[in-house]
Amino acid sequence: MVLMLYYNKTTTATLKELETSLKGLHPTEVTKRLAIYGPNTIRIKGEPLWRKIIEPFANIFMLVLFIAAALSIVHHAAIDAIIIIGIMLISAIIYYVQRFSTDKVLRSLQKHTAQSVSVVRDGKVRTIDSLKLVPGDIIVLGEGEKVPADARLIDGSNVRIDEALLTGESEAITKTTDALRGEKQIYEQSNLLFQGSFIVSGEATAVVIRTGNDTEFGRLAALSEQTGIRSPVQKKIDKLINQIIAAIAGIATVALVLSLLRGTDLIEAIRFVMALSVSAVPESLPIAISVILVLGMRRMAAKKALVTNMRAIETVGVITTIATDKTGTLTKNKLSVQETWQPHWVRHHLPTSIRYSANHTTAKTHDPLDIAMVEYADAEKVVKLKGQPLHSLPFSHEHAMSGNLWHHGDLYRLTVKGAPEAIITRSAMTEAEREESEQALARLTSQGYRVIALAQTELKKPIETLAALPAKARLDFVGLIAVADTLRPEAKRAIHTALAAGVTVRMVTGDHFETAYHIGRQLGMVESRDQVFDSRRMDTMTDEELESAIKNTRVFSRVIPENKYRLLSILKRRNITAMTGDGVNDVPALSNSHVGIAMGSGSQIAKDAGDIILLDDNFKTIIDAMREGRTIISNVRRMLYYLLATNAGEVITMLGALVIGMPVPLVAVQILWVNLVTDTTMVIPLGLEKGEKNNMTRKPEKPNAPILNRYLVSRMIMVAISMAATTLTLYIIFSNLYGHEYGRTIAFCALVVMQWASAFNARSDYESVFRRLLVWSTPFYVGLTASVTLQLLAIFGPLQNLLHITPVAIGDLVITGAIAFVIPIILVEIHKFFGRRALKAREV
């Protein structure tokens, strides 16, 4: 597409150039242009197919196996070479399946984040997916919305844009419709809106000039390649595996020396050491964890919590405090006018003032308060307004009110609604009238109502923002309306669950102190007014004073967005904090919290700043996400514990045999088979376990805590040593009775059975294995069935000779299998018993 300097053209010339009009494109023309320009999506250079194919083979472990296969051929052990290559291919296939599953889930999750945009087509405003935009489309954007494509501004007032993503400029840029002269840099193109930027204020009508990779953002993005984002837990695992590789390198050297000293053939010794090294390192764990994390993201999305930042999966499980909005999150956000109050000395008709004060901007406005006001005016049979206000003045946090400006004869009438304190202060009234109004306000707020004040004034000149209202202008007070929002029935129970999990919940609201206290009591968050903080006091307090004042605060009243960010900064000093938000002004708090939680009904800029999007705006969903996060990290820990414990057991078994001067119990292909049968089939099922009962009754862990705590490390060491001792003991006994090959088969089978027992043990950290049997896990039993089937084929089927297995008596297999299964179970049950006692002692 030829780069046209649309910023040099007038709005009329731009529309003519793009062969469109303010009525938009006809559907037939849209279809033609969509075929020419393609969907409005940025195609980032992905990983080439050849790299995806060789990826599972491009690591040190596959190289080691390849060398082992080559040495087997040199050693005239073609069957061993075929088995090793077969294991390599099976591992690669498993990798492909896991990678495909992960990519498929990620693509499905991305559909949740698709942006809808208002577009004018054939004279009608309709909402479409931004993917379907084409050059020439007329789009309408409001505050907080993301710009879906490069566009030329053709109409709008007070339009300010955040272009930080594109230009790095942190300050919002004011946009105009005027044509520019000469060639301009991107940050000087003040009449263009760029894809990826956000509307900070105002409402804009623009014509799309470029889509997809032709946009400024698209050209930059197309130059970069896709790279996977690794979560903190994945980085911890990567670091741990590197440490294990270094340790195994030393152990392999020792094992090679000992093998040669025992008279083992050099090539056979090298094959053995290579197989041992590959089996000892859980090289498949990173991709398995990716699968578990992505499947966890899908489960969270099914519960209406869309994760946009993978690190949030880990962090949400360790948060210690949640600062949540009230409206829509703890309540249903369905307001209705419950009561009105108007003093006797006011002449204005209250229901009519309500009609004139409600927001009258485009149909895109769905503010619950405005809806409640309009419904009340309709019920009072107030005549519906035929025209539109001259200007709709957006809510000003500085003035704590919003309004409409109406052209009334030679004058202009400003009708406002907002915080009672602000409007009463600015209204022209006597001290007695002010006192009467404040008493009425106190009465309504003590009943838990959200109270809104109404006022109006006459102006000689029009204004477009409340900031332009003359400082000397006094308002004519009209009255108060009391509205109520229904609490979500599940909110109180969800707060109780959070408290039981060691997480404090703090409600952040713009409501009056008494209203906030009343709602806090209903939710079980506060017992006295001492636990409610009036945020207007913050302006006169130092950070140290504020930290001390809010230590035991559970409800914050009269909060404005600027307060929110400061509160977050204070809470972060001693807490891992989750913060909710939905508007443009919430972005700093969302971006800087440990976990930013954006409302699904909120602005696009807030959703882009958040780590998790609540698709249903429900506080309970935060608790569900927290539970899921804890379960995912616990399962990752179980996977790691199981692999390290069993792999360490194999290594200690082999080294133990070499140290005491006896033949090794397993040959190279048997070691690789044990890992294939147990690790491959059981690891991911363990990562899909349901959470334990105490999952939401334990206090949050520290974010910098090691992936494996001392409790699990001690169990891992105990299991590894018991596996080695049991395997070597059975090997010695049966080798002495029936010969080396017989003993090797018994040891081989016993080692596999002990890993099955370890998998049962790994299903829970503290819960008894017998109680855990009552918790059904289809993936676990499917994996176990596959593992047992493969092992039976190895012992009794066609793989017998290939794996150097000697026929043994069924009775010996049953007895040794029972011993191998029971010993790990008993030891871990004892360990869990003492673990539960220690856990209860800490909770007390």
Side-chain angles (χ1 to χ4, degrees):
M1 185 177 181
V2 178
L3 185 62
M4 189 73 67
L5 301 181
Y6 287 102
Y7 56 81
N8 289 150
K9 296 180 177 294
T10 63
T11 56
T12 304
T14 301
L15 293 172
K16 185 177 180 181
E17 181 72 37
L18 292 165
E19 298 180 6
T20 187
S21 69
L22 292 176
K23 291 184 177 180
L25 299 171
H26 189 275
T28 305
E29 181 64 24
V30 171
T31 303
K32 290 179 182 178
R33 296 193 184 194
L34 199 57
I36 296 171
Y37 300 107
N40 178 34
T41 182
I42 296 173
R43 295 172 292 280
I44 299 175
K45 185 179 179 182
E47 202 173 18
L49 180 61
W50 65 266
R51 186 178 294 176
K52 291 181 180 179
I53 293 173
I54 69 166
E55 190 170 18
F57 300 99
N59 60 66
I60 188 66
F61 305 103
M62 283 295 190
L63 177 62
V64 169
L65 285 178
F66 180 79
I67 294 172
L71 289 173
S72 296
I73 294 172
V74 172
H75 204 248
H76 303 293
I79 293 177
D80 285 5
I82 291 171
I83 291 175
I84 293 172
I85 292 173
I87 289 173
M88 292 171 66
L89 291 175
I90 291 171
S91 297
I93 290 170
I94 292 170
Y95 178 90
Y96 292 140
V97 171
Q98 292 176 344
R99 174 72 181 265
F100 173 78
S101 300
T102 301
D103 291 345
K104 184 178 178 182
V105 173
L106 285 174
R107 284 195 300 271
S108 69
L109 291 175
Q110 286 170 355
K111 293 179 182 177
H112 283 285
T113 58
Q115 182 185 354
S116 295
V117 60
S118 293
V119 60
V120 180
R121 284 184 178 170
D122 206 18
K124 296 179 180 178
V125 178
R126 58 193 71 188
T127 301
I128 65 167
D129 192 312
S130 62
L131 291 174
K132 298 177 181 178
L133 285 175
V134 296
D137 265 328
I138 306 298
I139 55 175
V140 182
L141 302 170
E143 182 179 298
E145 289 191 272
K146 179 190 269 188
V147 178
D150 286 1
R152 169 68 161 89
L153 185 66
I154 56 178
D155 188 29
S157 59
N158 301 312
V159 179
R160 298 173 67 245
I161 305 288
D162 179 354
E163 295 181 347
L165 188 67
L166 196 62
T167 66
E169 177 60 53
S170 58
E171 292 293 325
I173 308 297
T174 299
K175 296 290 182 175
T176 67
T177 59
D178 300 333
L180 304 176
R181 293 183 178 180
E183 191 170 341
K184 302 290 183 182
Q185 296 296 324
I186 187 170
Y187 51 83
E188 298 174 313
Q189 297 170 18
S190 58
N191 55 18
L192 296 189
L193 312 180
F194 298 106
Q195 183 183 41
S197 57
F198 292 92
I199 308 291
V200 175
S201 66
E203 187 173 285
T205 301
V207 58
V208 174
I209 58 175
R210 292 184 289 267
T211 60
N213 283 51
D214 292 324
T215 63
E216 291 289 344
F217 184 71
R219 284 203 292 273
L220 290 175
L223 297 175
S224 62
E225 292 188 9
Q226 271 183 321
T227 55
I229 299 174
R230 304 190 70 72
S231 72
V233 70
Q234 286 176 306
K235 292 176 181 177
K236 290 179 183 178
I237 296 294
D238 290 344
K239 182 179 179 181
L240 180 61
I241 288 178
N242 289 333
Q243 293 170 341
I244 292 172
I245 291 173
I248 291 300
I251 293 172
T253 304
V254 173
L256 179 62
V257 172
L258 289 174
S259 297
L260 294 174
L261 290 176
R262 297 290 178 264
T264 307
D265 177 76
L266 176 61
I267 292 180
E268 181 61 32
I270 293 174
R271 288 172 61 220
F272 166 75
V273 169
M274 284 182 170
L276 184 64
S277 300
V278 170
S279 298
V281 179
E283 75 281 359
S284 62
L285 189 60
I287 184 64
I289 289 175
S290 294
V291 173
I292 297 307
L293 290 174
V294 170
L295 290 177
M297 290 170 66
R298 185 170 69 177
R299 288 197 304 274
M300 292 171 80
K303 295 178 180 178
K304 306 300 183 183
L306 181 63
V307 177
T308 59
N309 186 336
M310 198 173 280
R311 74 171 176 83
I313 295 178
E314 181 177 5
T315 312
V316 76
V318 297
I319 56 177
T320 59
T321 191
I322 302 170
T324 176
D325 287 326
K326 179 210 70 176
T327 305
T329 312
L330 297 171
T331 66
K332 291 183 176 180
N333 202 18
K334 172 62 178 172
L335 298 177
S336 60
V337 177
Q338 301 290 315
E339 190 176 336
T340 62
W341 177 83
Q342 187 172 35
H344 62 87
W345 37 268
V346 171
R347 301 187 308 276
H348 305 292
H349 184 232
L350 182 60
T352 301
S353 293
I354 290 176
R355 173 79 79 188
Y356 275 87
S357 299
N359 196 323
H360 286 74
T361 56
T362 68
K364 296 177 67 174
T365 300
H366 300 289
D367 186 281
L369 176 60
D370 290 311
I371 292 172
M373 291 172 66
V374 170
E375 288 178 349
Y376 178 82
D378 289 342
E380 292 294 313
K381 299 186 176 359
V382 177
V383 178
K384 292 186 178 181
L385 304 174
K386 294 181 180 180
Q388 293 288 321
L390 183 64
H391 295 296
S392 284
L393 283 56
F395 185 80
S396 165
H397 291 286
E398 181 183 352
H399 298 84
M401 64 184 78
S402 63
N404 292 315
L405 187 70
W406 302 87
H407 201 169
H408 188 66
D410 295 332
L411 299 174
Y412 298 90
R413 178 182 296 168
L414 175 66
T415 58
V416 297
K417 64 179 187 295
E421 297 91 339
I423 288 181
I424 290 173
T425 299
R426 191 138 188 180
S427 295
M429 57 176 70
T430 65
E431 280 300 317
E433 292 171 342
R434 191 181 307 278
E435 186 177 340
E436 183 183 354
S437 300
E438 289 174 347
Q439 287 175 354
L441 171 63
R443 179 181 63 81
L444 293 172
T445 55
S446 67
Q447 297 176 54
Y449 292 135
R450 176 185 174 187
V451 182
I452 305 296
L454 302 176
Q456 63 183 55
T457 189
E458 302 289 339
L459 301 174
K460 293 182 179 180
K461 296 181 179 180
I463 61 173
E464 295 185 7
T465 65
L466 285 169
L469 183 65
K472 295 181 179 179
R474 309 305 293 172
L475 300 175
D476 293 331
F477 183 75
V478 175
L480 303 174
I481 59 173
V483 296
D485 195 354
T486 307
L487 293 178
R488 289 183 181 269
E490 65 275 17
K492 186 173 183 178
R493 185 168 59 253
I495 290 172
H496 178 76
T497 301
L499 295 175
V503 179
T504 57
V505 180
R506 293 174 161 90
M507 184 177 78
V508 178
T509 177
D511 285 340
H512 189 277
F513 182 95
E514 287 296 328
T515 304
Y517 166 67
H518 182 83
I519 294 171
R521 282 199 63 181
Q522 285 183 291
L523 291 168
M525 299 178 68
V526 298
E527 295 179 354
S528 66
R529 287 176 173 79
D530 295 338
Q531 295 172 289
V532 183
F533 180 80
D534 190 331
S535 298
R536 291 175 298 182
R537 295 166 50 197
M538 290 175 59
D539 295 338
T540 60
M541 301 175 75
T542 65
D543 285 353
E544 289 68 27
E545 290 172 337
L546 182 59
E547 183 177 9
S548 175
I550 68 174
K551 184 177 181 180
N552 297 314
T553 298
R554 295 296 177 266
V555 173
F556 297 90
S557 68
R558 284 302 185 212
V559 177
I560 59 175
E562 290 76 10
N563 296 152
K564 214 173 187 182
Y565 180 75
R566 189 179 176 199
L567 286 173
L568 170 69
S569 302
I570 300 297
L571 290 173
K572 280 177 64 177
R573 291 183 177 183
R574 300 183 184 275
N575 294 277
I576 306 299
T577 306
M579 177 73 80
T580 68
D582 59 1
V584 173
N585 290 307
D586 292 328
V587 169
L590 287 172
S591 301
N592 289 281
S593 59
H594 294 105
V595 180
I597 302 175
M599 300 298 107
S601 62
S603 63
Q604 188 63 41
I605 188 172
K607 287 188 276 190
D608 273 38
D611 301 305
I612 297 176
I613 300 173
L614 298 188
L615 300 176
D616 60 355
D617 293 0
N618 196 336
F619 179 80
K620 178 182 177 294
T621 305
I622 301 176
I623 307 304
D624 290 340
M626 187 170 71
R627 179 184 287 107
E628 194 65 47
R630 289 190 176 192
T631 299
I632 290 170
I633 299 306
S634 294
N635 286 345
V636 168
R637 190 176 289 119
R638 290 188 187 106
M639 295 162 64
L640 183 60
Y641 153 75
Y642 169 74
L643 286 175
L644 293 184
T646 54
N647 290 2
E650 295 170 20
V651 172
I652 295 172
T653 299
M654 301 304 139
L655 281 180
L658 291 173
V659 169
I660 61 179
M662 60 187 292
V664 289
L666 275 68
V667 295
V669 291
Q670 287 178 331
I671 296 172
L672 295 174
W673 178 262
V674 169
N675 272 57
L676 177 67
V677 168
T678 58
D679 290 2
T680 305
T681 57
M682 299 308 302
V683 170
I684 288 184
L686 284 173
L688 298 174
E689 280 288 328
K690 297 176 182 177
E692 292 185 68
K693 284 186 176 180
N694 67 345
N695 196 22
M696 291 297 287
T697 57
R698 299 198 309 261
K699 290 183 178 180
E701 297 181 1
K702 294 181 179 179
N704 58 352
I707 190 69
L708 288 178
N709 53 32
R710 291 182 182 179
Y711 172 69
L712 286 181
V713 169
S714 64
R715 183 188 298 173
M716 184 180 74
I717 294 171
M718 180 187 69
V719 168
I721 293 174
S722 67
M723 282 179 63
T726 304
T727 304
L728 289 174
T729 300
L730 292 175
Y731 174 66
I732 293 170
I733 292 173
F734 283 91
S735 291
N736 291 334
L737 290 175
Y738 305 109
H740 169 65
E741 295 298 329
Y742 198 100
R744 172 175 287 166
T745 300
I746 292 293
F748 171 70
C749 294
L751 195 59
V752 171
V753 171
M754 280 189 284
Q755 298 211 20
W756 291 339
S758 295
F760 275 98
N761 286 328
R763 290 187 67 199
S764 60
D765 295 341
Y766 294 93
E767 202 172 10
S768 167
V769 68
F770 304 108
R771 184 178 292 275
R772 194 65 183 175
L773 289 173
L774 301 175
V775 180
W776 180 258
S777 172
T778 299
F780 180 84
Y781 288 109
V782 168
L784 183 63
T785 300
S787 181
V788 171
T789 302
L790 288 170
Q791 184 64 7
L792 290 175
L793 286 173
I795 299 172
F796 303 109
L799 299 176
Q800 192 178 70
N801 293 329
L802 301 178
L803 293 171
H804 307 280
I805 291 173
T806 299
V808 295
I810 296 296
D812 290 341
L813 280 177
V814 171
I815 293 171
T816 55
I819 293 171
F821 191 83
V822 169
I823 287 176
I825 295 290
I826 292 175
L827 289 175
V828 173
E829 279 299 295
I830 294 171
H831 190 268
K832 287 182 178 179
F833 172 76
F834 286 107
R836 288 192 295 269
R837 287 185 60 180
L839 189 64
K840 287 181 179 178
R842 286 199 299 271
E843 290 175 353
V844 171

